[in-house]
């Protein structure tokens, strides 16, 4: 069994380590400061100030004002709440546009609406995972309630041209929801200059704990709460506030803002070195995604004639953590919907591995992965019946 | 993350008999690149039919590689006749079990072995149309393959079939079809003697028993031939029924009435029962 205290964690798009500063900021709210912000007494009521600070910290990172920030339990809840609100407030509009490569939270809501009789347009992507803006514009109809699109893809890192998408969608007066779970903290997002209505974030992708998310709702957007009950979050999300996690989310956003240049330069440099090293050392592999418009921390690489789960478990022996889009790891019997939508051939799709880095990774870790991976791929190809057909 | 046994991990990390067998004289193949796993089994078989050596090459996940490794260990030294009796269960058992979603890896081993045995006997490789009706178009699985794996492993739900041979695991359009195949299989395999006759019965008890046996045992078997049966009346030990569907007007219907319906009711409810048609 691998040493579980000393791993090389290149799986930050799956989840990320809680930053020590975040943990420290949260602790008082687990200890003496346990009050309920809704209470009339000072002991509870003082927690409202902590929530305000967190709301400002989140707003600061994405160019939003604090009252546009709603705390939720996770990215999926934020996505669901946005779709719910957009369709509930415009019941006469029965058409929604999204893409085939979205997170399952969005895909599932789309299928749910189809079952309820809605029309859903599922935009396809090209081999780099990019949408066609003309196709988007042509899909918009008078009864389109919502366009929902991810900022950046979790599997390939491909970034959609959200500013152009927003221009098109808003010129038709349609609401726009952006799932920015993977992009926040890596891409510079300024909602003051980006006309979108809803934006979803997740804490655990940016060094806050699991169990906290944010839904941004632009001021003036009609809103119907997904979770109904008390008056919390200005009546837009019921349930007693998760005070410690909200504090953690605020702190994580402050840190993300301070470190965003590092993510875009030194993390990107490590990723680039990892990618170049793998391509140089291992024949018959290819990059999945749009290298000209990609998250700085992500590389998705396919090794022909070997299978992703086998790769991951071999890497696990060396304590290297990553993900795969292969059938055996996707939980179904088919490879990832993202790679299939991109038309990645089966020979490559089953052998895909996603490495996603963060500012806590080191050059030495990249060295170690570059040392180990060629061996692993070589060994699995040795016993693969398809390796003999690989182009030399 | 999959819960693999230590044996699976061991056979994945240290596969036995992996690689090309240079002097192989029999080859068996299963799976494809598109399916996500594929196995090439290479055997050296003596003129007497003994498997002297076995090696494999596998493209697939950890349990596919471990299953291939286990397969070669299991068949080495066996005769081809003995090997022909092997099922996927032995492979899974050898590995201390596989996660249920991964049972198809052991089935792939059995299929490659079957293919090798066919070729050794000089038979052409199996074609789907001689294997039965194509049920799962995504993974190319036929009804006969489904019936075989269901019988060997006691499967009763479509999800279980998906775990064992992938059928229904992609688009899912054939799931209902698979369940129908399984239901028919169960109706045939259902043991005849399930409910022991009670020594003394009231009329109501007898009537209830007759109704239960008719609906749960006899009707499904008639349904296989497109027929159905309706209970009209129970008067003491006389049971009045009407045969419907394909049974009505069938010249064998009197035979059905006596041999199937009356015999079953006499065995399971009361030896004194007489069945008449309404």
């Amino acid at each position: 069994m691998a040493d579980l205290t000393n791993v090389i964690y290149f799986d930050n798009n799956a989840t990320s380590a809680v930053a020590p500063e975040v943990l420290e900021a949260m602790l008082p709210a687990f200890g003496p400061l346990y009050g309920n912000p809704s209470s009339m007494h000072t002991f509870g009521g003082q927690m409202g100030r902590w929530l305000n600070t967190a709301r400002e910290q989140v707003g600061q990172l994405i160019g939003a004002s604090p009252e546009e920030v709603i705390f939720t339990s996770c990215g999926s809840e934020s996505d669901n709440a946005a779709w719910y609100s957009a369709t509930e407030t415009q019941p006469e509009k029965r058409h929604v546009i999204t893409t085939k490569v979205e997170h399952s939270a969005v895909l599932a809501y789309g299928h749910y609406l189809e079952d309820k009789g809605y029309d859903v347009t599922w935009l396809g992507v090209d081999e780099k995972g990019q949408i066609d803006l003309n196709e988007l514009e042509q899909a918009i109809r008078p009864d389109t309630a919502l366009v929902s699109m991810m900022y950046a893809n979790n599997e390939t890192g491909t970034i959609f041209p959200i500013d152009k998408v927003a221009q098109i969608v808003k010129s038709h007066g349609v609401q726009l929801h952006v799932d920015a779970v993977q992009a926040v903290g890596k891409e510079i997002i300024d909602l003051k200059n980006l006309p979108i209505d809803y934006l979803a974030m997740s804490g655990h992708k940016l060094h806050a704990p699991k169990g906290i998310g944010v839904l941004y709702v632009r001021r003036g957007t009609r809103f119907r709460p997904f979770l109904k009950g008390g008056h919390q979050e200005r009546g837009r999300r019921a349930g007693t506030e998760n005070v410690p996690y909200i504090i953690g989310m605020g702190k994580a956003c402050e840190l993300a803002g301070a470190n965003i240049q590092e993510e875009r330069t030194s993390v990107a440099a490590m990723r680039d070195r990892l990618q170049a090293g793998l391509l140089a050392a291992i024949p018959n592999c290819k990059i999945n995604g749009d290298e000209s418009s990609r998250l700085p921390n992500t590389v998705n690489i396919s090794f022909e004639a070997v299978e992703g789960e086998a790769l991951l478990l071999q890497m696990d022996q060396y304590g290297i953590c990553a993900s795969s889009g292969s059938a055996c790891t996707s939980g179904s019997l088919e490879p990832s919907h993202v790679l299939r939508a991109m038309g990645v051939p089966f020979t490559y799709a089953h052998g895909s591995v996603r490495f996603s880095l963060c500012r806590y990774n080191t050059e030495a870790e990249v060295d170690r992965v570059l040392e180990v991976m060629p061996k692993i791929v070589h060994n699995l190809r040795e016993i693969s019946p398809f390796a003999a057909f690989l182009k030399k | 993350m999959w819960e693999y046994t230590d044996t699976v991990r061991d056979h994945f990390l240290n596969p036995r008999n992996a690689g090309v067998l240079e002097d192989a004289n029999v080859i068996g193949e299963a799976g494809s690149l598109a399916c996500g796993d594929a196995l090439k089994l290479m055997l050296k078989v003596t003129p007497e039919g003994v498997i002297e050596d076995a090696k494999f090459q596998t493209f697939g996940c950890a349990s596919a590689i471990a299953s291939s490794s286990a397969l070669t260990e299991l068949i080495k030294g066996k005769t081809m006749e003995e090997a022909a009796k092997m099922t996927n269960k032995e492979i899974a058992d050898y590995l201390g079990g596989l996660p249920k979603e991964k049972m198809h890896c052991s089935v792939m081993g059995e299929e490659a072995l079957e293919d090798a045995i066919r070729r050794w006997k000089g038979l052409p490789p199996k074609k789907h149309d001689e294997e039965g009706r194509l049920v799962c178009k995504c993974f190319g699985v036929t009804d006969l393959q489904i019936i075989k794996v269901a019988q060997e492993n006691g499967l009763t739900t479509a999800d279980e079939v998906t775990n064992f041979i992938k059928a229904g695991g992609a688009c899912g359009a054939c799931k209902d079809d698979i369940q129908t195949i399984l239901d028919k299989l169960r109706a045939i395999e259902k043991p005849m003697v399930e409910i022991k006759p009670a020594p003394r019965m009231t009329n109501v008890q007898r009537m209830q028993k007759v109704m239960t046996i008719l609906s749960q045992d006899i009707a499904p078997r008639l349904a296989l031939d497109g027929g159905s049966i309706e209970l009209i009346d129970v008067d003491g030990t006389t049971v009045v029924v009407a045969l419907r569907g394909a049974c009505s007007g069938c010249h064998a219907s009197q035979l059905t009435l006596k041999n199937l319906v009356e015999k079953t009711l006499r065995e399971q409810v009361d030896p004194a029962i007489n069945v008449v048609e309404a």
Side-chain angles (χ1 to χ4, degrees):
Chain A
M1 200 62 199
D3 177 4
L4 293 181
T5 57
N6 188 23
V7 296
I8 297 177
Y9 192 78
F10 281 8
D11 203 11
N12 287 277
N13 288 11
T15 194
S16 63
V18 174
E21 299 92 327
V22 169
L23 178 63
E24 196 186 349
M26 290 167 68
L27 287 175
F30 285 116
L33 296 178
Y34 58 83
N36 185 333
S38 300
S39 297
M40 282 301 114
H41 42 73
T42 312
F43 175 70
Q46 64 172 335
M47 297 317 296
R49 284 203 305 278
W50 294 71
L51 298 187
N52 289 341
T53 303
R55 227 179 282 283
E56 279 163 18
Q57 287 165 320
V58 174
Q60 193 74 37
L61 179 64
I62 57 173
S65 53
E67 68 273 14
E68 292 174 315
V69 171
I70 302 173
F71 289 108
T72 66
S73 66
C74 58
S76 293
E77 186 195 323
S78 300
D79 285 333
N80 274 254
W83 277 62
Y84 177 85
S85 175
T87 48
E88 286 283 312
T89 53
Q90 309 170 86
E92 71 290 354
K93 295 185 175 175
R94 306 279 288 176
H95 176 236
V96 180
I97 301 170
T98 186
T99 81
K100 290 182 178 168
V101 296
E102 297 299 308
H103 185 268
S104 48
V106 164
L107 294 179
Y109 211 107
H111 293 308
Y112 164 73
L113 288 184
E114 279 182 327
D115 288 346
K116 291 202 352 173
Y118 274 74
D119 252 5
V120 178
T121 301
W122 302 95
L123 297 174
V125 295
D126 64 15
E127 72 279 1
K128 290 180 168 177
Q130 279 296 0
I131 47 158
D132 180 342
L133 292 170
N134 288 326
E135 205 186 323
L136 166 67
E137 181 143 33
Q138 278 157 19
I140 298 174
R141 313 194 311 214
D143 67 335
T144 304
L146 178 71
V147 174
S148 175
M149 210 169 276
M150 63 205 324
Y151 202 112
N153 188 271
N154 49 322
E155 292 189 29
T156 61
T158 295
I159 298 169
F160 284 153
I162 290 296
D163 49 343
K164 296 201 182 86
V165 168
Q167 266 175 26
I168 293 170
V169 174
K170 293 323 285 180
S171 74
H172 290 267
V174 173
Q175 291 200 352
L176 174 62
H177 166 57
V178 173
D179 173 351
V181 163
Q182 296 292 346
V184 172
K186 296 165 199 153
E187 291 302 306
I188 295 158
I189 300 174
D190 182 9
L191 293 168
K192 282 193 291 295
N193 298 306
L194 187 61
I196 67 179
D197 303 281
Y198 301 98
L199 180 127
M201 301 170 52
S202 167
H204 74 107
K205 313 285 192 195
L206 76 161
H207 307 295
K210 297 150 194 69
I212 183 76
V214 160
L215 177 63
Y216 157 89
V217 182
R218 179 168 295 273
R219 187 183 296 142
T221 306
R222 283 182 63 203
F223 191 80
R224 204 55 85 68
F226 180 64
L227 195 55
K228 299 158 202 59
H231 60 275
Q232 292 88 353
E233 302 294 295
R234 298 167 158 241
R236 293 173 300 179
R237 201 272 188 185
T240 299
E241 298 88 343
N242 188 352
V243 178
Y245 281 54
I246 290 172
I247 294 171
M249 184 67 175
K251 189 68 188 175
C253 285
E254 183 192 291
L255 290 171
N259 290 302
I260 196 161
Q261 281 316 317
E262 189 187 344
E263 290 281 346
R264 299 180 63 74
T265 53
S266 63
V267 175
M270 277 193 287
R271 187 275 313 269
D272 289 343
R273 194 163 74 81
L274 174 67
Q275 169 174 323
L278 291 172
L279 289 173
I282 304 173
N284 303 95
C285 51
K286 95 183 209 11
I287 303 300
N288 301 311
D290 186 353
E291 288 181 64
S292 65
S293 177
R294 187 169 55 159
L295 289 176
N297 75 322
T298 307
V299 54
N300 187 310
I301 183 167
S302 278
F303 304 98
E304 206 182 349
V306 291
E307 199 277 334
E309 188 208 286
L311 283 167
L312 293 188
L313 289 188
Q314 289 278 358
M315 288 156 65
D316 193 48
Q317 291 300 303
Y318 298 91
I320 300 168
C321 307
S323 288
S324 167
S326 84
C328 284
T329 55
S330 69
S332 82
L333 290 166
E334 288 199 318
S336 107
H337 68 286
V338 177
L339 299 182
R340 273 184 295 142
M342 290 163 61
V344 175
F346 279 119
T347 43
Y348 284 104
H350 286 295
S352 75
V353 174
R354 176 194 69 190
F355 297 98
S356 46
L357 282 61
C358 74
R359 61 179 185 268
Y360 296 125
N361 290 127
T362 64
E363 296 286 352
E365 290 175 332
V366 174
D367 289 337
R368 177 71 176 146
V369 173
L370 286 176
E371 179 195 333
V372 165
M373 280 308 290
K375 242 184 342 204
I376 290 176
V377 175
H378 175 81
N379 289 347
L380 286 171
R381 279 183 179 164
E382 281 283 299
I383 64 168
S384 167
F386 301 118
F389 304 111
L390 293 179
K391 286 188 209 80
K392 292 283 183 277
Chain B
M1 182 159 190
W2 301 111
E3 290 290 331
Y4 288 131
T5 65
D6 289 344
T7 320
V8 173
R9 294 188 74 89
D10 178 37
H11 276 260
F12 164 61
L13 294 171
N14 314 294
R16 327 291 200 265
N17 314 306
V20 176
L21 183 59
E22 296 296 346
D23 54 351
N25 53 6
V26 183
I27 306 270
E29 288 171 328
S32 77
L33 197 50
C35 291
D37 45 19
L39 161 58
K40 183 177 179 184
L41 178 66
M42 289 152 278
L43 306 178
K44 189 184 173 191
V45 182
T46 66
E48 296 75 38
V50 176
I51 301 169
E52 203 172 61
D53 202 359
K55 280 191 149 191
F56 77 91
Q57 281 187 305
T58 289
F59 162 79
C61 58
S63 56
I65 291 169
S67 293
S68 310
S69 169
L71 168 70
T72 52
E73 287 288 276
L74 278 165
I75 59 174
K76 269 208 282 187
K78 282 200 171 131
T79 66
M80 287 299 257
E81 298 300 330
E82 288 165 343
K85 292 188 196 113
M86 244 187 65
T87 70
N88 67 290
K89 244 174 122 336
E90 284 172 66
I91 297 172
D93 290 346
Y94 182 89
L95 292 169
L98 285 170
K100 64 182 194 312
E101 296 86 352
K102 292 287 190 177
M103 285 302 289
H104 61 82
C105 295
S106 66
V107 174
M108 181 169 74
E110 182 188 338
E111 285 174 352
L113 179 61
E114 247 177 60
D115 185 47
I117 289 168
R118 278 179 76 93
R119 294 198 208 190
W120 178 69
K121 288 180 174 165
L123 299 168
K126 265 193 186 177
K127 286 206 188 78
H128 281 310
D129 53 352
E130 52 175 301
E131 266 184 18
R133 178 176 63 85
L134 187 63
V135 175
C136 173
K137 293 183 179 71
C138 300
F139 290 109
V141 184
T142 66
D143 57 346
L144 295 185
Q145 286 173 291
I146 291 168
I147 291 170
K148 182 169 186 287
V149 78
Q151 285 177 328
E152 283 176 3
N153 297 280
L155 312 183
T156 56
T157 68
D159 284 344
E160 288 174 335
V161 168
T162 303
N163 289 337
F164 275 74
I165 41 172
K166 298 189 176 185
C171 76
C174 61
K175 284 244 169 192
D176 285 345
D177 197 355
I178 295 172
Q179 193 60 54
T180 309
I181 292 169
L182 295 175
D183 291 345
K184 281 190 181 178
L185 203 60
R186 279 235 293 197
I188 294 168
E189 285 177 344
K190 203 163 185 180
M192 290 290 285
V193 187
E194 219 172 35
I195 305 167
K196 293 268 182 252
R200 283 175 70 96
M201 274 183 284
T202 65
N203 268 337
V204 176
Q205 283 174 327
R206 188 182 294 113
M207 200 184 298
Q208 280 172 339
K209 281 230 152 149
V210 167
M211 285 165 70
T212 309
I213 302 291
L214 273 181
S215 65
Q216 289 184 2
D217 192 351
I218 295 170
R221 284 193 270 163
L222 292 177
L224 289 177
D225 297 316
S228 64
I229 189 164
E230 196 180 324
L231 179 64
I232 306 291
D233 196 9
V234 180
D235 181 9
T237 55
T238 303
V239 177
V240 186
V241 296
L243 292 172
R244 308 257 191 244
C247 298
S248 69
C250 169
H251 60 272
S253 66
Q254 280 308 308
L255 225 57
T256 306
L257 214 57
K258 291 289 163 197
N259 285 358
L260 175 69
V261 184
E262 191 173 86
K263 188 162 173 269
T264 308
L265 290 177
R266 281 181 178 177
E267 277 172 5
Q268 299 195 32
V269 186
D270 189 337
I273 280 180
N274 251 324
V275 176
V276 295
E277 206 173 351

